Amino acid sequence: MSTHATTPGFGLIGELVKHQLGRTPQATALQYGQHKLTWRKLDSRIRRAATGLRAAMVRPGERIGVLSPNHPVCIEAVFAAALTGTTVMLVNWWLPEEEIARLLREGEVKLMFVATELAEMFERIRPGLEDLDSVVIIGRPAGDPYATDDYELWLETHETGEGMYEAAQFHPSADDPVVQVHEADGANLALSHRTLQLAVAAEPPALGDSKVVSEPLFRVQGISAALHGLREGMRTILEHSEPAPEA
């Protein structure tokens, strides 16, 4: 079911969630494997992530990073960055370690969210990232039933009250960068609220009630497809993408 006729225009990215939250708060917004997030839950997690960025002293204009296969954290980080005036680098985890390290050094990334299956690799490059202040691991290590999901704990430690939430917001303009992606030709693209909204609007018309996103979210095509599903009020299903040879 498309809601294109009543969806927001080309303003701030955060409007996409606010719009659907006001319409169908208990409908499923995101699905990853067997895990489902309603619009209300997704909004709560984004608010917690935004206050978490401020608590970590990530300032407007600075960068955070996500090193992970397609996962709700990628989406939550985009919206949290949009709220706080920061830029999220959706890191191409298919790249060689030295290239990932170079991109993070050049971006002067302050805070990283790293999938547990990539944590061992990330620890090898972490000593060379002088600007990095903290790392939050996403998911539980395989084979350890007593392990915790650090990202979930990180979210739980941050308030979602209006005072904290308002303090976290930067009120950026539509031309402020919000996402950095890595294309197959090697180009690194910084997308503002406006250009990201235009990419979302250029997606093919929505069909049905669900949208499956298998293209990696670190590509323009992947992140715009996911945000298009959210824009249209669809159940947006994130699927894992296997590494492919770089062009």
Side-chain angles (χ1 to χ4, degrees), residues 129-151:
L129 305 178
E130 297 179 355
D131 295 292
L132 184 64
D133 292 329
S134 55
V135 177
V136 180
I137 302 299
I138 306 164
R140 295 181 175 87
D144 187 350
Y146 302 105
T148 58
D149 185 324
D150 288 350
Y151 179 75

Side-chain angles (χ1 to χ4, degrees), residues 21-75:
L21 181 65
R23 298 180 68 252
T24 54
Q26 298 305 325
T28 298
L30 276 180
Q31 181 172 333
Y32 176 71
Q34 300 302 312
H35 301 285
K36 300 177 183 179
L37 295 176
T38 65
W39 288 99
R40 189 179 301 282
K41 184 66 173 178
L42 177 61
D43 178 66
S44 173
R45 291 168 67 86
I46 291 168
R47 292 162 70 98
R48 289 180 179 275
T51 57
L53 295 185
R54 278 292 176 265
M57 300 299 291
V58 182
R59 295 176 174 83
E62 294 183 332
R63 292 184 179 90
I64 62 172
V66 180
L67 183 66
S68 174
N70 289 0
H71 191 281
V73 173
C74 302
I75 303 298

Side-chain angles (χ1 to χ4, degrees), residues 151-165:
Y151 179 75
E152 295 299 324
L153 291 175
W154 183 81
L155 285 183
E156 289 177 9
T157 61
H158 296 103
E159 297 288 340
T160 57
E162 286 302 317
M164 291 291 292
Y165 181 58

Side-chain angles (χ1 to χ4, degrees), residues 4 56 61 79 85 91-92 101 144 152 241:
H4 179 77
F79 284 107
V91 182
N92 180 353
D144 187 350
E152 295 299 324
S241 293

